Amino acid sequence: MIIEVDPNSEVPIYQQLRDRVVEAIATGVLREGSPLPSTRALATDFGINFHTVNKGYDLLRQQRLLRINRKSGAVVLRDGNSGPPAPEFVEEWTGRATTLLAEATAHGLSREEVLDICRKVLETFGERQEDS
Amino acid sequence: MIIEVDPNSEVPIYQQLRDRVVEAIATGVLREGSPLPSTRALATDFGINFHTVNKGYDLLRQQRLLRINRKSGAVVLRDGNSGPPAPEFVEEWTGRATTLLAEATAHGLSREEVLDICRKVLETFGERQEDS
Amino acid sequence: MIIEVDPNSEVPIYQQLRDRVVEAIATGVLREGSPLPSTRALATDFGINFHTVNKGYDLLRQQRLLRINRKSGAVVLRDGNSGPPAPEFVEEWTGRATTLLAEATAHGLSREEVLDICRKVLETFGERQEDS
Amino acid sequence: MIIEVDPNSEVPIYQQLRDRVVEAIATGVLREGSPLPSTRALATDFGINFHTVNKGYDLLRQQRLLRINRKSGAVVLRDGNSGPPAPEFVEEWTGRATTLLAEATAHGLSREEVLDICRKVLETFGERQEDS
DNA sequence: GTGGTCTAGACCACC
DNA sequence: GTGGTCTAGACCACG
C-alpha cells in the first residue's frame, strides 16, 4: 500500500487515513477481501500512535467498508462491485455533494467544467467488473 | 435571505453558515454585490454568538467570496458569473471532490449514477446569466 | 442521574454506561432533549477516565440516541415517544433477542414465564404519551 | 448438528458456538443427554482452533448446560424440560433482558410490539414435551 | 501476535 | 466552559 498521511494537516490524521483507504478501494488498489496492515504496524510505519489508526479503521467499519477480526486483522468488506449502496447512504452523500458542487459553481466553474472534472476523476478509478 | 442553521448539528455552526452562503451564491439567491446582514444582526437572528458569525464570514473572505468593509458591511465579492476560478482553487477542490467521489464509488454507485446525481444537483443551481 | 458503573465487571465500563443511559431513556428518567453531564464531569464522578465516558457517549451517538454538541454537551436525541424505530434496528434487535430468549428456554423457563418477566420489565418502563 | 459459525463476525467465535448450542437446546434439536461432537472434531469441522471450541464448551459448562466427561465427551446436561431454572439464573437473566428490552423501548418499539416479537420467537422454539 | 480496554496528560477547536 | 484529537503505555481477550 502506498498511503501517506500529513500529520501537519488541519484534517485529522485518522480521517486522512480513512480517506486514503476509501480512495484505494475506489481505484481498485484495495478490493473486497484485501487485508490491511495491523493497527500497530501501520502506526509505526506512519510514525503515529496506534490509537489513531484504530480510530481510522473504526470509521471505516462504521461505514461498512471494513471488517475487523481479532485474529486476522482488518479486511476490506466491500468495493464498487459488491452491490448497490444503501439508500440512506445515497441521500446523505447527495447532501454533501450539493455543498461541494455549490462551492465550485460559486467560484465560477460552469456546469460542464464541473462535470468534466468529476468525469475525469471517475475515470481514474478502476473499471468495474461488469463494464469489462 | 432564507438561511437556516441547526445549532444541534454535528457540523460547526460557522461552517453551516459558510455552506449556506455558498449555496445561496450557487443558486443565484446571492449575486456579486449583494449585501449580507451585519454580523451582529445575523447573530441575534440565529441566537448564536457574534464571534461565530464573524468566523463564518471570515472563512468566506479567505475564499475570496466575500468582501468585508468596516463601513458598508459584508458584500458578496463574486458569483458564478464573475469569471473563472483561481487555478489553486480548482486544484484544491479537485482533491476534495476525489475523496467524495471515491466514497460513492466504494459504496457501489456506478460512474453514471454518480454523474447523474451531480448533474441533477447542478441543475437545481439555476441557469447562468450567459446561458440565458 | 442515579447511574452506577462497576469497574470490576467483565463488561466494559463504556458499555455499562451505555446500558444505564438506554435504561434511563426507557424508564423515562431521560427524555428527548434531556441534557447529560459533561464527559469530564461524569468521569470524575465515576472515578474513571474521560475517554471512557467519551466512548460510551459515542456508542449512544452511533445508535442515534444521543446528540453531542461542542457547546452544550450531550443531549438525548430520542426516546420511546420519538417515533418508530428503523427497520434495520428491529431486525438486528430480533436476532439478539432470539439468543437471549433461547437461553431462558434452555434453562427451563416456560414460554409464559419468559413473557411474564418481559411484561413486568416493560411495565417498569414509563407509560408512553400516546397511552395516556 | 447443523451449526454454523462466522469467523468474520465481530462476536467471538467461542460465543457464537455457545449461542448456537443454546439455540439448538431451545428449539429441541439438542435434548438432555444428547452428545456433542468432541472438541477436536468440531474444531477441524469449523477450521478453528481447538482451544476456541474448548472455551465455548467451558462457557456452557459454567452455565450448567453441559457436562464434560473426559471419557464420554460433552453431553447436554439439561433442556427446557429438565425442570425449573436456578433462581440466580433467573435474576441474572432478567438483568440482561432489562437492558435489551430498554433498548427496544428507547428506539420506539411499543410494549405490545416488543411482546409480539418475543412471542413469535418463542413460538419458533417448538412445543415443550409437557405441552404436547 | 492480533485487536480491545482503560488510564493519563497534552493541546486544539468551538462557542 | 465544552468536546475532539493525539500521544503514551499498561493490561487483557482472542485465537
Side-chain angles (χ1 to χ4, degrees), chain A residues 41-129:
Chain A
L42 201 58
T44 51
D45 271 13
F46 288 169
I48 60 177
N49 193 278
F50 89 91
H51 285 116
T52 306
V53 178
N54 233 328
K55 190 161 185 177
Y57 276 14
D58 198 55
L59 265 189
L60 290 160
R61 194 191 56 182
Q62 285 174 37
Q63 298 180 310
R64 316 268 177 191
L65 289 176
L66 219 60
R67 178 183 282 157
I68 299 177
N69 286 344
R70 288 197 143 95
K71 185 179 173 184
S72 50
V75 174
V76 174
L77 189 58
R78 69 157 297 152
D79 57 32
N81 297 310
S82 307
E88 318 94 61
F89 169 79
V90 180
E91 187 186 0
E92 187 266 347
W93 185 87
T94 303
R96 282 186 286 149
T98 301
T99 301
L100 193 71
L101 294 169
E103 208 172 325
T105 303
H107 278 86
L109 284 171
S110 73
R111 191 176 306 177
E112 278 313 315
E113 286 170 330
V114 169
L115 285 174
D116 270 349
I117 293 176
C118 293
R119 206 175 281 116
K120 277 173 189 157
V121 169
L122 288 168
E123 276 168 14
T124 66
F125 298 162
E127 294 290 329
R128 308 183 108 207
Q129 282 188 312

Side-chain angles (χ1 to χ4, degrees), chain A residues 9-22:
Chain A
S9 165
E10 62 176 354
V11 39
I13 296 176
Y14 73 88
Q15 195 177 329
Q16 291 182 52
L17 176 58
R18 186 212 76 111
D19 290 348
R20 294 302 90 75
V21 171
V22 168

Side-chain angles (χ1 to χ4, degrees), chain B residues 2-19:
Chain B
I2 318 129
I3 279 186
E4 287 196 4
V5 293
D6 174 14
N8 292 325
S9 166
E10 59 179 0
V11 38
I13 294 178
Y14 76 88
Q15 194 177 330
Q16 290 184 54
L17 178 59
R18 187 212 77 113
D19 290 347

Side-chain angles (χ1 to χ4, degrees), chain D residues 35-54:
Chain D
L36 262 66
S38 77
T39 51
R40 282 172 178 86
L42 205 56
T44 51
D45 269 13
F46 290 164
I48 60 179
N49 195 297
F50 139 78
H51 291 105
T52 306
V53 180
N54 239 331

Side-chain angles (χ1 to χ4, degrees), chain C residues 23 93 96 99-100 103 128, chain D residues 23 93 96 99 103 108:
Chain C
E23 285 161 18
W93 185 87
R96 281 186 288 149
T99 302
L100 193 70
E103 208 172 325
R128 309 183 105 206
Chain D
E23 284 161 18
W93 185 86
R96 281 187 287 149
T99 301
E103 209 173 323

Side-chain angles (χ1 to χ4, degrees), chain A residues 70, chain C residues 4-20 46 48 51-53 55-57 59, chain D residues 12 14-15 99:
Chain A
R70 288 197 143 95
Chain C
E4 288 197 1
V5 293
D6 173 17
N8 296 322
S9 165
E10 63 177 353
V11 37
I13 296 176
Y14 73 88
Q15 195 176 330
Q16 291 182 51
L17 177 58
R18 186 213 77 111
D19 291 347
R20 294 302 91 75
F46 288 169
I48 60 177
H51 285 116
T52 307
V53 178
K55 191 160 185 178
Y57 277 13
L59 265 189
Chain D
Y14 76 90
Q15 195 178 329
T99 301

Side-chain angles (χ1 to χ4, degrees), chain B:
Chain B
M1 278 213 308
I2 318 129
I3 279 186
E4 287 196 4
V5 293
D6 174 14
N8 292 325
S9 166
E10 59 179 0
V11 38
I13 294 178
Y14 76 88
Q15 194 177 330
Q16 290 184 54
L17 178 59
R18 187 212 77 113
D19 290 347
R20 294 302 91 74
V21 171
V22 168
E23 284 161 19
I25 295 175
T27 55
V29 172
L30 291 176
R31 292 167 179 274
E32 184 179 335
S34 298
L36 263 67
S38 77
T39 51
R40 281 172 180 84
L42 205 56
T44 51
D45 270 12
F46 290 165
I48 59 179
N49 195 299
F50 139 80
H51 290 105
T52 306
V53 179
N54 238 332
K55 187 158 187 177
Y57 276 14
D58 196 53
L59 264 188
L60 291 159
R61 187 187 56 77
Q62 286 173 30
Q63 298 179 312
R64 317 276 175 188
L65 289 175
L66 220 60
R67 179 172 45 201
I68 302 178
N69 244 326
R70 197 162 303 167
K71 193 173 170 184
S72 50
V75 175
V76 174
L77 190 57
R78 66 159 300 150
D79 58 32
N81 298 307
S82 307
E88 317 93 62
F89 169 78
V90 178
E91 187 187 3
E92 186 267 346
W93 185 88
T94 303
R96 281 186 288 149
T98 301
T99 301
L100 193 71
L101 294 170
E103 208 173 324
T105 303
H107 278 87
L109 283 172
S110 74
R111 192 176 304 178
E112 279 313 315
E113 287 170 331
V114 170
L115 286 174
D116 271 349
I117 293 175
C118 292
R119 206 174 282 116
K120 276 171 190 159
V121 168
L122 289 167
E123 277 168 12
T124 67
F125 290 165
E127 298 295 328
R128 309 180 106 204
Q129 282 189 314
E130 63 255 34
D131 291 341
S132 58

